[in-house]
Amino acid sequence: YAKSAEMNNPLISPFYAKELNGICPILLQIGTHETLLDETRSFAETARRSGVSVTVQEWPEMIHVWHNLVGRVKCADDAIENIGIWLKDIWKTRS
């Protein structure tokens, strides 16, 4: 998707942004066995410092994209359900 653009450009990857002012609320679901766990925590902190509403849900022993196991693994089902709950809560506070 980035073609020849620099991957550390904040417009390509928000992880590299110094500020995230004005963006919408963020839900981050991350497994504790995820390779990007530390980066996710760091991104959440950057967003919080910028005044962004951030919800981080850490799922014990889950791996990258465990959501793909929906219908086969209960915690994947639970994670998808939590996304819906979070969206409903955000919608209520924004209405």
Side-chain angles (χ1 to χ4, degrees):
Y1 72 95
K3 297 189 180 180
S4 62
E6 293 292 325
M7 292 304 293
N8 62 354
N9 178 336
L11 297 174
I12 300 295
S13 177
F15 174 76
Y16 294 103
K18 291 182 173 51
E19 294 181 4
L20 296 164
N21 299 333
I23 66 171
C24 64
I26 300 171
L27 169 65
L28 300 169
Q29 290 185 327
I30 189 78
T32 58
H33 288 182
E34 162 68 65
T35 304
L36 300 171
L37 180 59
D38 291 338
E39 288 83 354
T40 300
R41 290 172 175 162
S42 176
F43 177 76
E45 260 321 296
T46 298
R48 284 187 186 112
R49 279 194 312 272
S50 297
V52 177
S53 172
V54 180
T55 301
V56 179
Q57 297 176 354
E58 292 189 10
W59 292 77
E61 300 179 15
M62 287 299 100
I63 57 171
H64 189 67
V65 296
W66 84 94
H67 302 80
N68 286 338
L69 300 172
V70 69
R72 294 175 281 172
V73 176
K74 182 169 177 3
C75 54
D77 297 340
D78 293 346
I80 298 298
E81 184 176 338
N82 279 4
I83 293 169
I85 292 167
W86 182 83
L87 286 169
K88 284 180 185 177
D89 288 346
I90 290 298
W91 183 257
K92 285 179 195 173
T93 61
R94 300 286 173 186
S95 298

